[in-house]
Amino acid sequence: MVDKTIISFFKENYNDNPLIIKAPGRINLIGEHTDYNKGFVLPASIEKGIYFAVSANNSEAIRIEAFLSQPEKIEFALNGTHKEFNSFWGNYFKAIIEILISENYPLKGMDCVFGGDIPIGSGLSSSAALCCGFIYAITKISGKKLSREKIALIAQKAEHKIGLNCGLMDQYAVLFGKKGNAFFLDCNDLTHSYIPINLNGYSWVLVNSNIKHNLAVDSEYNKRRISCENIVKEVKLSKPNVCSLRDVTLKDLNNISDKIDAIDIKRAKYIIEENERVRRMMKALTKGDAQEVGNILNEGHWAMSTQYEITTSELDALVKIGENLEGVLGSRMMGGGFGGCTINLIQTSKLESSISSLLEGYKSQTSIDAEYYHLAIDDGVKVYSN
């Protein structure tokens, strides 16, 4: 267990009995690219996570050490000054400490060792787990509570500070997740609720295509945002109350189809229908209708492939192979697009044979070795153990 190793390391090196905080990774069951259109998303926090061993150190510094990937020790004075560091994770902590100082948060000296079992770059939101878990750890040591909503905003601000212009879905999923439930978030007003996942006899598996997001992703992402904004602008001329694609209907699209680029129409149609898929998924999960859950996953994938055009031939191959396997109820690409993973719903009794067939089929079609991760739905950020 990762947490036990971190505790032993902390006790050996810092001679104290630490508090353990666990910050989970997250998956997104459905609702892709809807967040910046003020739509709906349906993520869930998972068992894999980042563990923080922390204790007060009665000094004027926050000392942080990575136990697993890219080991390095970094020290931040409570006024925010620090020596040079090399690690990418140091930038997140630096941004968080600077934000807390600017908001006059009463920081206290702290020792922190962290590590985890979230595969970096697999679309499980390791950066949101890193930020939210660290801020939560700081509040436990400093003694001044921050609401989870406030922690989410600080974590988002930290990501923006280092150049990642993210929404709030990841942070909310990491902070508010609940074992056995999906987390419905309305990105318009941040209202949220829990949706029970009643799928006994079925398992969630992530398959990494091992196709890395290429450099074109940012420009392609921006093109799609612009398409969405173009539609809103046009519809607003006749419906002034429209503020985002959330307020646009398929009928509205029909009405402007002769005035605007067909590609923009196609992309907007994807977003409107994806919001509806989130609503359908909530009902299917609550009912325990595994067949419908699988259908929605497949439908969502092919809409991303043909309408929003953000998948790759390799990801399409993974989904297509799954469609021909009896044990795989449905799959879709998860995340921003142009690489990454598929999320798959698989009959537990056929789990091993289905995964094996998926990986073999993918290898024979693409010559690429895929990896897989079992997923279990777990709680959001919490004190894990003492």
Side-chain angles (χ1 to χ4, degrees):
M1 286 290 288
V2 173
D3 56 301
K4 296 286 182 273
T5 321
I6 288 168
I7 293 167
S8 309
F9 182 86
F10 191 96
K11 285 179 176 174
E12 261 175 53
N13 291 274
Y14 293 91
N15 304 315
D16 204 349
N17 200 28
L19 184 71
I20 305 297
I21 309 292
K22 181 189 175 188
R26 70 100 190 98
I27 52 173
N28 189 25
L29 297 177
I30 197 81
E32 224 62 84
H33 287 263
T34 48
D35 55 350
Y36 55 82
N37 288 296
K38 306 286 186 190
F40 305 136
V41 290
L42 196 65
S45 51
I46 59 170
E47 205 169 24
K48 291 182 186 299
I50 296 177
Y51 297 86
F52 299 82
V54 293
S55 70
N57 65 15
N58 301 314
S59 78
E60 289 298 301
I62 294 174
R63 299 192 293 243
I64 309 161
E65 187 165 359
F67 176 69
L68 294 176
S69 67
Q70 212 175 340
E72 189 174 352
K73 273 172 103 162
I74 300 178
E75 188 168 311
F76 293 94
L78 295 186
N79 65 7
T81 60
H82 62 90
K83 292 178 186 156
E84 286 299 309
F85 57 82
N86 298 313
S87 60
F88 70 91
W89 53 263
N91 292 311
Y92 290 101
F93 294 145
K94 175 178 183 285
I96 287 164
I97 290 165
E98 285 171 355
I99 291 161
L100 290 171
I101 289 168
S102 73
E103 296 187 6
N104 298 314
Y105 183 85
L107 291 170
K108 288 190 179 166
M110 173 175 100
D111 291 324
C112 169
V113 173
F114 75 94
D117 56 4
I118 306 179
I120 303 293
S122 59
L124 296 175
S125 210
S126 52
S127 62
L130 190 73
C131 292
C132 294
F134 184 63
I135 298 163
Y136 186 75
I138 285 174
T139 67
K140 288 293 174 190
I141 298 301
S142 295
K144 186 187 174 188
K145 197 175 172 187
L146 291 173
S147 71
R148 289 186 179 235
E149 287 85 355
K150 178 65 177 168
I151 292 173
L153 288 169
I154 293 168
Q156 181 194 39
K157 204 170 172 183
E159 297 234 31
H160 288 183
K161 212 168 160 55
I162 63 172
L164 299 166
N165 192 23
C166 59
L168 276 164
M169 176 182 81
D170 294 351
Q171 293 81 0
Y172 264 68
V174 164
L175 285 157
F176 290 98
K178 186 176 171 187
K179 192 170 188 166
N181 287 260
F183 177 76
F184 169 71
L185 178 66
D186 182 332
C187 298
N188 189 41
D189 57 11
L190 299 180
T191 53
H192 46 85
S193 58
Y194 294 103
I195 308 299
I197 299 175
N198 296 318
L199 294 174
N200 293 332
Y202 299 91
S203 300
W204 297 102
V205 174
L206 203 70
V207 177
N208 188 346
S209 69
N210 277 324
I211 296 296
K212 305 294 177 207
H213 303 270
N214 62 42
L215 295 173
V217 173
D218 288 343
S219 65
E220 290 298 328
Y221 175 83
N222 289 337
K223 282 178 194 169
R224 280 150 187 78
R225 283 194 81 139
I226 290 163
S227 285
C228 298
E229 286 158 14
N230 289 344
I231 297 288
V232 172
K233 214 179 289 177
E234 188 61 43
V235 174
K236 212 173 169 64
L237 297 175
S238 56
K239 293 174 77 174
N241 292 337
V242 165
C243 297
S244 69
L245 271 186
R246 163 70 173 279
D247 310 316
V248 175
T249 65
L250 293 175
K251 190 180 172 191
D252 293 330
L253 287 188
N254 259 344
N255 293 342
I256 61 166
S257 60
D258 57 341
K259 299 173 190 162
I260 205 147
D261 193 296
I263 289 176
D264 290 352
I265 295 281
K266 187 166 69 167
R267 288 171 178 169
K269 189 169 186 278
Y270 162 78
I271 298 293
I272 294 166
E273 290 173 348
E274 183 77 346
N275 280 326
E276 189 51 38
R277 278 188 283 274
V278 174
R279 288 194 182 96
R280 284 169 51 207
M281 181 68 89
M282 287 158 67
K283 285 180 191 160
L285 289 172
T286 306
K287 272 194 212 163
D289 186 345
Q291 204 64 54
E292 174 66 355
V293 170
N295 291 342
I296 296 166
L297 290 173
N298 282 341
E299 195 184 298
H301 179 83
W302 295 116
M304 284 189 286
S305 175
T306 61
Q307 289 178 293
Y308 223 56
E309 298 175 304
I310 53 172
T311 68
T312 65
S313 59
E314 294 85 359
L315 286 156
D316 288 352
L318 266 177
V319 173
K320 202 163 274 184
I321 293 161
E323 284 177 335
N324 293 309
L325 294 173
E326 198 189 332
V328 180
L329 280 88
S331 318
R332 74 172 190 88
M333 181 196 78
M334 190 181 78
F338 307 101
C341 298
T342 59
I343 182 167
N344 304 265
L345 183 66
I346 302 178
Q347 205 173 320
T348 307
S349 61
K350 294 180 176 149
L351 196 56
E352 279 185 38
S353 61
S354 295
I355 292 170
S356 179
S357 298
L358 263 177
L359 300 187
E360 282 169 22
Y362 183 67
K363 170 85 171 179
S364 79
Q365 283 190 35
T366 64
S367 304
I368 299 167
D369 288 307
E371 296 161 337
Y372 70 94
Y373 312 104
H374 293 288
L375 299 171
I377 311 302
D378 206 359
D379 293 320
V381 174
K382 62 181 179 183
V383 173
Y384 188 70
S385 66
N386 279 305

Coordinates of all heavy atoms in Angstrom, one line a residue, residues 112-183:
C112 N 5.9 17.8 4.8 CA 5.0 17.1 3.9 C 5.8 16.1 3.0 O 6.7 16.5 2.3 CB 4.2 18.1 3.1 SG 3.2 17.4 1.8
V113 N 5.3 14.8 3.1 CA 5.9 13.9 2.1 C 4.7 13.3 1.3 O 3.6 13.0 1.9 CB 6.6 12.7 2.8 CG1 7.0 11.6 1.8 CG2 7.8 13.2 3.6
F114 N 4.8 13.3 0.0 CA 3.6 12.8 -0.8 C 4.1 11.8 -1.9 O 5.2 11.8 -2.3 CB 2.9 14.0 -1.4 CG 3.6 14.6 -2.6 CD1 3.3 14.2 -3.9 CD2 4.5 15.6 -2.4 CE1 3.9 14.7 -5.0 CE2 5.2 16.1 -3.5 CZ 4.8 15.7 -4.8
G115 N 3.1 11.0 -2.3 CA 3.3 10.0 -3.3 C 2.0 9.4 -3.7 O 1.0 9.7 -3.0
G116 N 1.9 8.7 -4.7 CA 0.5 8.1 -5.1 C 0.6 7.1 -6.1 O 1.6 6.7 -6.6
D117 N -0.6 6.6 -6.5 CA -0.7 5.6 -7.5 C -1.6 6.0 -8.7 O -2.1 5.2 -9.4 CB -1.2 4.3 -6.9 CG -2.5 4.4 -6.1 OD1 -3.1 5.5 -6.2 OD2 -3.0 3.4 -5.5
I118 N -1.8 7.3 -8.9 CA -2.5 7.8 -10.1 C -1.5 7.8 -11.2 O -0.5 8.5 -11.1 CB -3.0 9.2 -9.9 CG1 -3.9 9.4 -8.7 CG2 -3.8 9.6 -11.2 CD1 -4.5 10.8 -8.5
P119 N -1.7 7.1 -12.3 CA -0.8 7.2 -13.4 C -0.8 8.6 -14.0 O -1.9 9.1 -14.4 CB -1.4 6.2 -14.4 CG -2.4 5.3 -13.7 CD -2.9 6.2 -12.5
I120 N 0.3 9.2 -14.0 CA 0.4 10.6 -14.5 C 0.1 10.6 -16.0 O 0.6 9.8 -16.8 CB 1.9 11.2 -14.3 CG1 2.3 11.1 -12.8 CG2 2.0 12.6 -14.8 CD1 1.5 12.0 -11.8
G121 N -0.7 11.6 -16.4 CA -1.0 11.8 -17.8 C -2.0 10.9 -18.4 O -2.1 10.8 -19.6
S122 N -2.7 10.1 -17.5 CA -3.7 9.2 -18.0 C -5.1 9.7 -18.0 O -6.1 9.0 -18.2 CB -3.6 7.9 -17.2 OG -3.9 8.2 -15.8
G123 N -5.2 11.0 -17.7 CA -6.6 11.6 -17.7 C -7.3 11.4 -16.4 O -8.5 11.6 -16.4
L124 N -6.6 11.1 -15.4 CA -7.3 10.9 -14.1 C -7.1 12.1 -13.2 O -7.4 12.0 -12.0 CB -6.7 9.6 -13.4 CG -7.0 8.3 -14.1 CD1 -6.3 7.1 -13.4 CD2 -8.5 8.0 -14.2
S125 N -6.7 13.2 -13.7 CA -6.6 14.4 -13.0 C -5.7 14.4 -11.8 O -6.1 14.8 -10.7 CB -8.0 14.9 -12.6 OG -8.1 16.3 -12.6
S126 N -4.5 14.0 -12.0 CA -3.5 14.0 -10.9 C -3.2 15.4 -10.4 O -2.9 15.6 -9.3 CB -2.2 13.3 -11.4 OG -1.8 13.8 -12.6
S127 N -3.3 16.4 -11.3 CA -2.9 17.8 -10.9 C -4.0 18.3 -9.9 O -3.7 19.0 -9.0 CB -2.7 18.7 -12.1 OG -3.9 18.8 -12.8
A128 N -5.3 18.0 -10.2 CA -6.3 18.5 -9.3 C -6.2 17.8 -7.9 O -6.4 18.4 -6.9 CB -7.7 18.2 -9.9
A129 N -5.8 16.5 -7.9 CA -5.6 15.8 -6.7 C -4.5 16.4 -5.9 O -4.5 16.5 -4.7 CB -5.4 14.3 -7.0
L130 N -3.4 16.7 -6.6 CA -2.2 17.2 -6.0 C -2.5 18.6 -5.3 O -2.2 18.8 -4.2 CB -1.1 17.5 -7.1 CG 0.3 17.8 -6.6 CD1 1.0 16.6 -6.0 CD2 1.1 18.3 -7.8
C131 N -3.2 19.4 -6.0 CA -3.5 20.8 -5.5 C -4.6 20.7 -4.4 O -4.3 21.3 -3.3 CB -4.1 21.7 -6.6 SG -2.8 22.1 -7.9
C132 N -5.7 20.0 -4.6 CA -6.7 20.0 -3.6 C -6.2 19.3 -2.3 O -6.5 19.7 -1.2 CB -8.0 19.3 -4.1 SG -8.7 20.2 -5.5
G133 N -5.5 18.2 -2.5 CA -5.0 17.5 -1.3 C -4.0 18.3 -0.5 O -4.0 18.3 0.7
F134 N -3.1 19.0 -1.2 CA -2.1 19.9 -0.5 C -2.8 21.0 0.2 O -2.5 21.3 1.4 CB -1.1 20.4 -1.5 CG 0.0 21.2 -0.9 CD1 0.9 20.6 -0.1 CD2 0.2 22.6 -1.2 CE1 1.9 21.4 0.5 CE2 1.2 23.3 -0.7 CZ 2.1 22.7 0.2
I135 N -3.8 21.7 -0.4 CA -4.5 22.8 0.3 C -5.2 22.3 1.5 O -5.2 22.9 2.6 CB -5.5 23.5 -0.7 CG1 -4.7 24.1 -1.9 CG2 -6.3 24.6 0.1 CD1 -5.6 24.5 -3.1
Y136 N -5.9 21.1 1.4 CA -6.6 20.5 2.5 C -5.6 20.2 3.6 O -5.9 20.4 4.8 CB -7.3 19.3 2.0 CG -8.2 18.6 3.0 CD1 -9.5 19.2 3.3 CD2 -7.9 17.4 3.6 CE1 -10.3 18.6 4.3 CE2 -8.7 16.8 4.6 CZ -9.9 17.4 4.9 OH -10.8 16.8 5.8
A137 N -4.5 19.7 3.3 CA -3.4 19.3 4.3 C -3.0 20.6 5.0 O -2.9 20.6 6.3 CB -2.2 18.7 3.6
I138 N -2.8 21.7 4.3 CA -2.4 23.0 4.9 C -3.5 23.4 5.9 O -3.1 23.9 7.0 CB -2.2 24.1 3.8 CG1 -0.9 23.8 3.1 CG2 -2.2 25.5 4.4 CD1 -0.6 24.7 1.9
T139 N -4.7 23.3 5.6 CA -5.8 23.7 6.5 C -5.8 22.9 7.8 O -6.1 23.4 8.9 CB -7.2 23.6 5.9 OG1 -7.6 22.3 5.6 CG2 -7.3 24.4 4.6
K140 N -5.5 21.6 7.7 CA -5.4 20.7 8.8 C -4.3 21.1 9.8 O -4.4 21.0 11.0 CB -5.3 19.2 8.4 CG -6.5 18.7 7.8 CD -7.6 18.6 8.8 CE -9.0 18.2 8.2 NZ -10.1 18.3 9.1
I141 N -3.1 21.5 9.2 CA -2.0 21.9 10.0 C -2.1 23.3 10.5 O -1.8 23.6 11.7 CB -0.7 21.7 9.2 CG1 -0.5 20.2 8.8 CG2 0.5 22.3 10.0 CD1 -0.4 19.2 10.0
S142 N -2.6 24.2 9.7 CA -2.7 25.6 10.1 C -3.9 25.9 11.0 O -4.0 26.9 11.7 CB -2.8 26.5 8.9 OG -1.6 26.4 8.2
G143 N -4.9 25.0 10.9 CA -6.0 25.1 11.9 C -7.1 26.1 11.4 O -8.1 26.2 12.1
K144 N -6.9 26.7 10.3 CA -8.0 27.6 9.8 C -8.7 26.9 8.7 O -8.2 26.7 7.6 CB -7.5 29.0 9.3 CG -8.7 29.9 9.0 CD -8.2 31.2 8.3 CE -9.5 32.0 7.9 NZ -9.2 33.1 7.1
K145 N -10.0 26.6 8.9 CA -10.8 25.8 7.9 C -11.1 26.6 6.7 O -11.4 27.8 6.8 CB -12.1 25.3 8.6 CG -12.7 24.2 7.9 CD -13.9 23.6 8.7 CE -14.7 22.6 7.8 NZ -15.9 22.2 8.4
L146 N -11.1 25.9 5.5 CA -11.6 26.5 4.3 C -12.7 25.6 3.8 O -12.5 24.4 3.9 CB -10.5 26.7 3.3 CG -9.3 27.6 3.5 CD1 -8.3 27.5 2.4 CD2 -9.8 29.1 3.5
S147 N -13.7 26.2 3.3 CA -14.8 25.3 2.7 C -14.2 24.6 1.5 O -13.3 25.0 0.9 CB -16.0 26.2 2.3 OG -15.7 26.9 1.1
R148 N -14.9 23.5 1.1 CA -14.4 22.7 0.0 C -14.6 23.5 -1.3 O -13.8 23.4 -2.2 CB -15.1 21.4 -0.1 CG -14.6 20.4 1.0 CD -15.1 19.0 0.9 NE -14.5 18.3 2.1 CZ -13.9 17.2 2.0 NH1 -13.7 16.6 0.8 NH2 -13.3 16.6 3.0
E149 N -15.6 24.4 -1.4 CA -15.8 25.2 -2.5 C -14.6 26.2 -2.6 O -14.1 26.4 -3.7 CB -17.1 26.1 -2.4 CG -18.4 25.3 -2.5 CD -18.8 24.5 -1.3 OE1 -18.1 24.6 -0.3 OE2 -19.9 23.9 -1.3
K150 N -14.2 26.7 -1.5 CA -13.0 27.7 -1.5 C -11.7 27.0 -1.9 O -10.9 27.5 -2.7 CB -12.9 28.3 -0.1 CG -11.7 29.3 0.0 CD -11.9 30.5 -0.8 CE -10.8 31.5 -0.6 NZ -10.7 32.6 -1.6
I151 N -11.5 25.7 -1.4 CA -10.4 25.0 -1.8 C -10.3 24.7 -3.3 O -9.3 24.9 -4.0 CB -10.3 23.6 -1.0 CG1 -10.0 23.9 0.5 CG2 -9.2 22.7 -1.6 CD1 -10.1 22.6 1.3
A152 N -11.5 24.4 -3.9 CA -11.6 24.2 -5.3 C -11.2 25.4 -6.1 O -10.4 25.4 -7.1 CB -13.1 23.8 -5.7
L153 N -11.6 26.6 -5.6 CA -11.3 27.9 -6.3 C -9.8 28.2 -6.2 O -9.2 28.6 -7.2 CB -12.1 29.0 -5.7 CG -13.6 29.0 -6.1 CD1 -14.4 30.0 -5.2 CD2 -13.8 29.3 -7.6
I154 N -9.2 27.9 -5.1 CA -7.8 28.2 -4.9 C -7.0 27.2 -5.8 O -6.0 27.6 -6.5 CB -7.3 28.0 -3.4 CG1 -7.9 29.1 -2.6 CG2 -5.8 28.1 -3.3 CD1 -7.8 28.9 -1.1
A155 N -7.4 25.9 -5.9 CA -6.7 24.9 -6.7 C -6.8 25.3 -8.2 O -5.9 25.2 -8.9 CB -7.3 23.6 -6.5
Q156 N -8.0 25.8 -8.6 CA -8.2 26.2 -10.0 C -7.3 27.4 -10.3 O -6.6 27.5 -11.3 CB -9.7 26.6 -10.2 CG -9.9 27.1 -11.7 CD -11.3 27.8 -11.8 OE1 -11.7 28.5 -11.0 NE2 -11.9 27.5 -12.9
K157 N -7.3 28.4 -9.3 CA -6.4 29.6 -9.5 C -5.0 29.2 -9.6 O -4.2 29.8 -10.4 CB -6.6 30.5 -8.3 CG -6.4 32.0 -8.5 CD -6.8 32.8 -7.3 CE -6.4 34.2 -7.4 NZ -6.8 35.0 -6.2
A158 N -4.5 28.2 -8.9 CA -3.1 27.7 -9.0 C -2.8 27.2 -10.4 O -1.8 27.5 -10.9 CB -2.9 26.7 -7.9
E159 N -3.8 26.4 -10.9 CA -3.6 25.8 -12.2 C -3.5 26.9 -13.3 O -2.7 26.9 -14.2 CB -4.7 24.8 -12.6 CG -4.7 23.6 -11.6 CD -4.7 22.3 -12.4 OE1 -4.1 22.2 -13.5 OE2 -5.2 21.3 -11.8
H160 N -4.4 27.9 -13.1 CA -4.4 29.1 -14.1 C -3.0 29.8 -14.0 O -2.5 30.2 -15.0 CB -5.5 30.0 -13.7 CG -6.9 29.5 -14.1 ND1 -8.0 30.2 -14.0 CD2 -7.2 28.3 -14.6 CE1 -9.1 29.5 -14.4 NE2 -8.6 28.3 -14.8
K161 N -2.5 29.9 -12.8 CA -1.3 30.7 -12.5 C -0.1 30.0 -13.2 O 0.8 30.7 -13.7 CB -1.0 30.7 -11.0 CG -0.3 31.9 -10.4 CD -0.4 31.9 -8.9 CE 0.6 32.7 -8.2 NZ 0.7 34.1 -8.5
I162 N -0.2 28.7 -13.4 CA 0.9 28.0 -14.1 C 0.6 27.7 -15.5 O 1.3 27.0 -16.2 CB 1.4 26.8 -13.4 CG1 0.4 25.7 -13.3 CG2 2.0 27.1 -12.0 CD1 0.9 24.4 -12.8
G163 N -0.5 28.3 -16.0 CA -0.8 28.3 -17.4 C -1.8 27.3 -17.9 O -1.9 27.0 -19.1
L164 N -2.5 26.6 -17.0 CA -3.5 25.6 -17.4 C -4.9 26.2 -17.2 O -5.3 26.3 -16.0 CB -3.3 24.3 -16.6 CG -2.0 23.6 -16.8 CD1 -1.7 22.6 -15.7 CD2 -1.8 23.0 -18.2
N165 N -5.6 26.5 -18.3 CA -6.8 27.3 -18.1 C -8.0 26.3 -18.0 O -8.8 26.2 -18.8 CB -7.0 28.1 -19.4 CG -8.1 29.1 -19.2 OD1 -8.5 29.5 -18.1 ND2 -8.7 29.6 -20.3
C166 N -8.1 25.7 -16.8 CA -9.1 24.6 -16.6 C -10.4 25.2 -15.9 O -10.4 26.3 -15.4 CB -8.5 23.6 -15.6 SG -8.0 24.3 -14.0
G167 N -11.4 24.4 -16.1 CA -12.7 24.7 -15.4 C -12.6 24.2 -14.0 O -11.6 24.0 -13.4
L168 N -13.8 23.9 -13.3 CA -13.8 23.5 -12.0 C -14.3 22.0 -11.8 O -14.4 21.5 -10.7 CB -14.8 24.4 -11.1 CG -14.2 25.7 -10.6 CD1 -15.3 26.6 -10.2 CD2 -13.2 25.4 -9.4
M169 N -14.5 21.3 -12.9 CA -15.0 20.0 -12.8 C -14.0 19.1 -12.0 O -14.5 18.4 -11.1 CB -15.2 19.3 -14.2 CG -15.7 17.9 -14.0 SD -15.9 17.0 -15.6 CE -14.2 16.6 -16.0
D170 N -12.8 19.1 -12.3 CA -11.8 18.2 -11.7 C -11.7 18.4 -10.2 O -11.7 17.5 -9.4 CB -10.4 18.4 -12.3 CG -10.4 17.9 -13.8 OD1 -11.4 17.4 -14.3 OD2 -9.4 18.2 -14.5
Q171 N -11.6 19.7 -9.8 CA -11.5 20.0 -8.4 C -12.7 19.6 -7.6 O -12.6 19.1 -6.5 CB -11.2 21.6 -8.2 CG -9.9 22.1 -8.8 CD -9.9 22.3 -10.3 OE1 -10.9 22.1 -11.0 NE2 -8.8 22.7 -10.8
Y172 N -13.9 19.9 -8.2 CA -15.1 19.5 -7.5 C -15.2 18.0 -7.4 O -15.6 17.5 -6.3 CB -16.3 20.1 -8.2 CG -16.8 21.4 -7.6 CD1 -16.0 22.6 -7.7 CD2 -18.0 21.5 -7.0 CE1 -16.4 23.8 -7.2 CE2 -18.4 22.7 -6.4 CZ -17.6 23.9 -6.5 OH -18.0 25.1 -6.0
A173 N -14.9 17.3 -8.4 CA -15.0 15.8 -8.4 C -14.0 15.3 -7.3 O -14.4 14.4 -6.5 CB -14.6 15.2 -9.7
V174 N -12.8 15.8 -7.2 CA -11.8 15.4 -6.3 C -12.2 15.7 -4.8 O -12.0 14.9 -3.9 CB -10.4 16.0 -6.6 CG1 -9.4 15.9 -5.5 CG2 -9.8 15.4 -7.9
L175 N -12.8 16.8 -4.6 CA -13.2 17.3 -3.3 C -14.5 16.7 -2.8 O -14.7 16.4 -1.6 CB -13.2 18.8 -3.2 CG -11.9 19.5 -3.2 CD1 -12.0 20.9 -3.7 CD2 -11.3 19.5 -1.8
F176 N -15.5 16.6 -3.7 CA -16.9 16.2 -3.3 C -17.3 14.8 -3.6 O -18.4 14.4 -3.3 CB -17.9 17.2 -3.9 CG -17.8 18.6 -3.4 CD1 -17.1 19.6 -4.1 CD2 -18.4 18.9 -2.2 CE1 -17.0 20.9 -3.6 CE2 -18.4 20.2 -1.7 CZ -17.7 21.2 -2.4
G177 N -16.3 14.0 -4.2 CA -16.7 12.6 -4.6 C -17.2 11.8 -3.4 O -16.9 12.1 -2.2
K178 N -18.0 10.8 -3.7 CA -18.6 9.9 -2.7 C -18.6 8.5 -3.2 O -19.0 8.2 -4.3 CB -20.1 10.4 -2.4 CG -20.8 9.7 -1.3 CD -22.1 10.4 -1.1 CE -23.0 9.7 -0.2 NZ -24.4 10.2 -0.2
K179 N -18.1 7.6 -2.3 CA -18.0 6.2 -2.7 C -19.4 5.7 -3.2 O -20.4 5.9 -2.7 CB -17.6 5.4 -1.4 CG -17.2 4.0 -1.7 CD -16.6 3.3 -0.5 CE -16.0 2.0 -0.9 NZ -15.2 1.5 0.2
G180 N -19.3 4.9 -4.4 CA -20.5 4.3 -4.9 C -21.4 5.3 -5.7 O -22.5 4.9 -6.1
N181 N -21.0 6.5 -5.9 CA -21.8 7.5 -6.5 C -21.0 8.3 -7.6 O -19.9 8.5 -7.5 CB -22.3 8.6 -5.5 CG -23.3 8.0 -4.6 OD1 -24.5 8.3 -4.8 ND2 -22.9 7.3 -3.6
A182 N -21.8 8.7 -8.6 CA -21.3 9.7 -9.6 C -21.6 11.0 -9.0 O -22.5 11.1 -8.1 CB -21.9 9.4 -11.0
F183 N -21.0 12.0 -9.5 CA -21.1 13.4 -9.0 C -21.7 14.3 -10.1 O -20.9 14.6 -11.1 CB -19.8 13.9 -8.5 CG -19.8 15.3 -8.0 CD1 -20.3 15.6 -6.7 CD2 -19.2 16.3 -8.7 CE1 -20.3 16.9 -6.2 CE2 -19.2 17.6 -8.2 CZ -19.8 17.9 -7.0

